[in-house]
Amino acid sequence: KAALRSVTSKELMTSVAPAQEAPPAAAAPHNYSILGSWKLNVAKTDFGDGNILKAMSITVTSATSDLIEYTVTATYGGGMAGTYGFKGPVDGKDHALTGSASIYSYSDQNGVLLETQKDPDGTVTKGVWALSANGKEGTWTYTITNPDASITHQKLVFTKVV
């Protein structure tokens, strides 16, 4: 029979191989419910004290946490029309638009897409996207802080174009 002997803690620590940590798995990109083509429903929209739009269409070609990409065509209250676009990750960092001097950033809060828009005049617009239960209507709810520190609230309602 083999004799048992005491083992010191130092011997124990040097004789046990350290556990190998598995490399962290890459998180799958989150998919947001804004993918597709959307048309502003002016009748359901509440512009508050903000700028009024006569028409707006949004085509979102990518809606993941890795890449939000879209093009917007809008006709403003005064009749002026414009097109702009965004292409960037949902990382909370500022990204320039194409066709506009505004800067946008997107972030995620528990799977909810948040938008921040910074305009050259100092206006900051923060929005939250929500999709209806039937998936046919989407709403951006905005809080707009104007350069004079006044606050405006807007609710833009969009219908999904099939």
Side-chain angles (χ1 to χ4, degrees), residues 40-160:
L40 181 68
N41 185 329
V42 176
K44 288 186 174 183
T45 292
D46 178 3
F47 294 105
D49 293 332
N51 293 327
I52 295 175
L53 296 162
K54 288 185 175 181
M56 177 182 265
S57 62
I58 304 171
T59 301
V60 182
T61 55
S62 180
T64 71
S65 52
D66 290 341
L67 180 65
I68 296 289
E69 184 173 9
Y70 62 80
T71 302
V72 174
T73 302
T75 303
Y76 303 95
M80 187 177 96
T83 300
Y84 60 91
F86 178 87
K87 184 177 182 177
V90 177
D91 61 2
K93 297 178 183 175
D94 292 343
H95 298 276
L97 292 175
T98 57
S100 173
S102 296
I103 300 212
Y104 277 50
S105 66
Y106 288 89
S107 56
D108 179 295
Q109 184 175 42
N110 300 319
V112 176
L113 187 62
L114 306 177
E115 175 184 88
T116 300
Q117 173 186 342
K118 297 175 184 172
D119 295 330
D121 70 355
T123 301
V124 176
T125 302
K126 294 187 177 201
V128 177
W129 172 256
L131 185 67
S132 65
N134 67 10
K136 295 179 181 180
E137 195 170 83
T139 304
W140 277 108
T141 303
Y142 290 110
T143 299
I144 303 164
T145 304
N146 299 299
D148 65 1
S150 64
I151 305 283
T152 300
H153 297 280
Q154 287 188 335
K155 185 176 184 181
L156 304 184
V157 180
F158 291 87
T159 302
K160 190 156 194 175

